[in-house]
Amino acid sequence: MAAGGIWMSLGLMAAVVAAVGLCRSLALRRLHSRPHLCSFLLELLSTFQVCACTNELSLLGNTEPRPHTALTLTYGFTVLHGLTLPGSTCNPCGTLQPLWGGRTSARAGGLKIWAQFAAAVLARVFMHFIWRLEMAESHLGALTQGCGNPMQTTEVQAFCIELLFSVVFQLTILQVENIKPSYRVHAVALLITMLVFAGGNLTGAIFNPALAFSLHPHCFYDRFLTYSLVYWIAPCLGTVLVAFVWKSFLGHQKTLKSQL
């Protein structure tokens, strides 16, 4: 791909980030008296940004030199998302974590998950509109690709990979939640980049149900059961396992402290 096409894609993603940042600022300023609506809109906007940018990044995966360019962009935009979207999970699994631990209500958690999937659909529709304009070289033929077949292994192995990656990711999030935010985003971005490098050629290393639906809607339509098991059930199961073990571990730690 020509360098000009890459810069056009980067400019497009930068415009999305800027527009979402402006909308988030307006929502925080105007809707502070309506916390539920504000939370819903913030999660919707944040997930839209992640899904839209990742849809565009998926077109740059074959840019030379491979895989260095794709991994560098993955790391860079993960850091950017972390810095510009504070307080948002942009991942239904990240919403399940506090929901299972009792740190948020079922209503609030349900609203966030609804916002995330709605944003996933809106991002895909928006990117289809942008790709139809063919502003960059990578957009040529993007609408005719259909299912990209992200699973390049057996269904059982794909399920286990997404489950394992979700466990590793959620455990890391719990471990680094008390670290200074400016350092935490780099730690999380480095982990995501490593997981993409390790399993990206097998499943895409998504471990985010909303993002998976936004990236591969045709695959869900063609093989809904298989893709829902691998990209929805496996990450959610991993999150629940981590939440259960973490809660049990903390309970055991508190019991030991009370006995001392």
Side-chain angles (χ1 to χ4, degrees):
M1 180 186 300
I6 296 176
W7 286 113
M8 182 64 74
S9 291
L10 292 177
L12 171 62
M13 290 184 281
V16 169
V17 172
V20 168
L22 177 61
C23 292
R24 279 173 55 91
S25 297
L26 288 173
L28 285 169
R29 214 178 313 161
R30 301 292 179 86
L31 299 174
H32 57 85
S33 60
R34 305 179 67 180
H36 289 297
L37 179 58
C38 184
S39 176
F40 177 86
L41 286 177
L42 289 177
E43 197 66 36
L44 178 79
L45 291 166
S46 301
T47 308
F48 176 88
Q49 175 179 312
V50 171
C51 290
C53 289
T54 309
N55 268 281
E56 184 67 18
L57 282 174
S58 67
L59 301 181
L60 306 178
N62 293 324
T63 304
E64 297 293 344
R66 301 171 56 190
H68 307 85
T69 301
L71 293 175
T72 301
L73 290 173
T74 298
Y75 177 84
F77 273 90
T78 303
V79 171
L80 182 62
H81 295 325
L83 293 174
T84 58
L85 305 174
S88 298
T89 62
C90 308
N91 187 342
C93 295
T95 304
L96 283 177
Q97 187 82 257
L99 189 61
W100 182 270
R103 289 178 288 161
T104 187
S105 65
R107 180 188 178 188
L111 280 174
K112 281 192 173 185
I113 293 175
W114 180 31
Q116 288 156 358
F117 276 99
V121 174
L122 288 174
R124 186 68 179 187
V125 172
F126 172 74
M127 293 312 299
H128 266 227
F129 171 75
I130 295 296
W131 293 342
R132 199 179 300 277
L133 300 178
E134 298 183 344
M135 294 188 299
E137 181 183 342
S138 58
H139 298 171
L140 301 177
L143 295 176
T144 60
Q145 290 180 356
C147 177
N149 295 315
M151 274 194 289
Q152 298 298 314
T153 182
T154 66
E155 296 171 6
V156 173
Q157 288 179 336
F159 182 92
C160 293
I161 289 171
E162 288 294 310
L163 173 66
L164 175 63
F165 283 6
S166 179
V167 168
V168 172
F169 179 72
Q170 296 299 333
L171 273 176
T172 303
I173 293 296
L174 290 172
Q175 288 283 355
V176 303
E177 62 182 0
N178 293 323
I179 296 178
K180 188 178 178 181
S182 58
Y183 298 147
R184 183 170 63 240
V185 294
H186 288 281
V188 173
L190 179 60
L191 172 67
I192 290 176
T193 305
M194 291 172 61
L195 293 178
V196 169
F197 177 72
N201 62 325
L202 298 175
T203 66
I206 303 174
F207 47 91
N208 180 334
L211 179 58
F213 187 64
S214 184
L215 289 174
H216 306 294
H218 296 290
C219 300
F220 278 91
Y221 179 78
D222 295 339
R223 301 169 60 192
F224 178 78
L225 180 59
T226 298
Y227 276 79
S228 60
L229 283 172
V230 172
Y231 293 104
W232 287 356
I233 303 301
C236 291
L237 180 59
T239 301
V240 170
L241 288 173
V242 169
F244 177 77
V245 172
W246 191 262
K247 189 175 181 180
S248 301
F249 174 75
L250 288 180
H252 181 64
Q253 291 288 95
K254 291 179 181 178
T255 302
L256 288 178
K257 288 182 180 179
S258 63
Q259 292 175 350
L260 294 177

